[in-house]
Amino acid sequence: MPPPSLLCRWDSEYFPIPPGAFARGANEKQGVSDNYAKKGGKKTHAELDFCSAWGNVLSSQEIESMKISIVSMMMAAVIGLMTTAQAELKVASVNMQELYKKYYKRFEAEKRLSELKASIDKDVAARQEKLQALMKAMQEIRKKDDPALTENARKAIQTEFQMKQNTAQAEEQEYKSFVQRKQMAFQEAQKSEILTILQEIQKIVEDAAAKVDCDLLIDSAAAAPPMGTKAFPYVKKNLDITPEILKILNASAPAGFDPDKPAGGISAAAVQ
């Protein structure tokens, strides 16, 4: 028997898989190892193949039964929320985008990344100059070739040109590889810096919410796909604890830090 939460999508809707359909489908395709199966779309788990195998076995009565089950579950969820609300749920909101934007460590990270990029650009430029010098040398060698020269002299020039061309081609390949490696290194450094900051913010937000015994903390800046509209169109200002969280985040900021100033007003010497 499948897990109770096992679902499958049919015509853009999700339904629980009835035990009978699971048994019939299991004979056609094995491999369900997760709590969800999906019919159609991009298959990212082995169980998606299983879902498409038993999907054709379902009868119209079973599909209608699934729809009724989904409606029942939705009604139960709404009733549950109403019950919770009656118990005076303590809710607060926080703007995660603003926290990230005004966190002093974000400015420090940007300075480090800016310095790293400047160093990479310098190395890339040096290799570009070396490659350009080789190309120029090839042009100079080519200019030496003259029909009036002896055959041996012309062969020597051609040999010299070929050697320089081989060197230039090798340098060009190395240059491309170098640029690619540096780009990947920078992207990884950038990703690491951002992830570290977000994790720190998340931990402080969770701790702050726990201290005030908050039951539910929502991100007022959260966007709802696919249009990118706000997930919470309206949140009362008195629920917002963003200013309080910012004070905690920036308690150890360098002297003179101001999130509204360029680079946060932090000098390069203050960034470790």
Side-chain angles (χ1 to χ4, degrees):
M1 180 177 291
S5 60
L6 191 61
L7 303 179
C8 184
R9 191 178 72 178
W10 185 279
D11 294 334
S12 301
E13 297 184 62
Y14 286 88
F15 307 104
I17 298 176
F22 183 93
R24 293 195 299 275
N27 293 328
E28 298 187 31
K29 197 79 171 180
Q30 299 294 326
V32 176
S33 59
D34 199 7
N35 286 336
Y36 295 89
K38 184 181 292 182
K39 181 176 183 297
K42 185 178 180 181
K43 298 177 181 178
T44 56
H45 302 287
E47 59 269 24
L48 303 191
D49 288 326
F50 174 82
C51 181
S52 62
W54 66 260
N56 296 326
V57 182
L58 297 179
S59 66
S60 59
Q61 290 84 357
E62 287 173 324
I63 294 175
E64 290 302 320
S65 176
M66 291 177 187
K67 291 183 178 180
I68 294 174
S69 298
I70 285 295
V71 173
S72 300
M73 286 190 291
M74 291 176 64
M75 291 179 64
V78 171
I79 293 173
L81 287 174
M82 292 174 64
T83 303
T84 304
Q86 292 175 353
E88 296 184 358
L89 185 71
K90 189 171 183 180
V91 181
S93 71
V94 66
N95 189 317
M96 294 296 286
Q97 287 185 3
E98 185 175 356
L99 293 180
Y100 175 79
K101 182 180 178 181
K102 295 187 175 182
Y103 187 22
Y104 81 94
K105 288 191 177 182
R106 192 266 294 184
F107 292 89
E108 294 180 340
E110 287 186 352
K111 280 185 176 291
R112 288 191 293 270
L113 290 171
S114 179
E115 293 172 357
L116 176 60
K117 186 177 184 301
S119 175
I120 292 175
D121 289 344
K122 184 178 180 180
D123 292 340
V124 170
R127 289 174 179 263
Q128 281 181 332
E129 290 179 2
K130 184 177 180 180
L131 189 57
Q132 290 172 355
L134 285 171
M135 300 300 291
K136 185 177 181 180
M138 288 173 58
Q139 293 176 356
E140 294 298 326
I141 295 172
R142 188 182 291 277
K143 289 179 181 179
K144 294 179 183 180
D145 192 12
D146 189 331
L149 296 174
T150 64
E151 183 178 353
N152 289 337
R154 296 192 68 185
K155 284 184 178 181
I157 292 173
Q158 291 174 0
T159 300
E160 182 183 4
F161 178 83
Q162 187 61 52
M163 292 177 62
K164 190 66 69 175
Q165 185 179 50
N166 293 340
T167 301
Q169 289 176 344
E171 286 291 337
E172 183 178 15
Q173 291 297 322
E174 172 57 26
Y175 168 78
K176 292 179 179 179
S177 177
F178 176 81
V179 171
Q180 185 177 26
R181 291 196 306 271
K182 289 298 181 179
Q183 287 178 340
M184 291 178 64
F186 180 79
Q187 290 172 357
E188 286 298 320
Q190 187 179 49
K191 180 180 177 181
S192 177
E193 291 277 15
I194 293 174
L195 182 60
T196 298
I197 291 173
L198 291 178
Q199 288 175 339
E200 290 181 6
I201 294 175
Q202 182 72 24
K203 179 65 168 58
I204 290 175
V205 167
E206 290 177 356
D207 290 345
K211 285 182 180 179
V212 297
D213 194 26
C214 183
D215 297 303
L216 176 64
L217 181 63
I218 63 174
D219 179 6
S220 59
M227 300 302 293
T229 55
K230 284 189 174 182
F232 305 97
Y234 175 74
V235 180
K236 281 188 176 181
K237 290 185 178 180
N238 64 338
L239 296 178
D240 187 22
I241 61 172
T242 302
E244 289 79 1
I245 301 296
L246 271 176
K247 289 180 181 179
I248 299 174
L249 285 171
N250 293 326
S252 302
F257 170 71
D258 185 346
D260 297 322
K261 289 184 179 180
I266 303 176
S267 64
V271 181
Q272 297 181 354

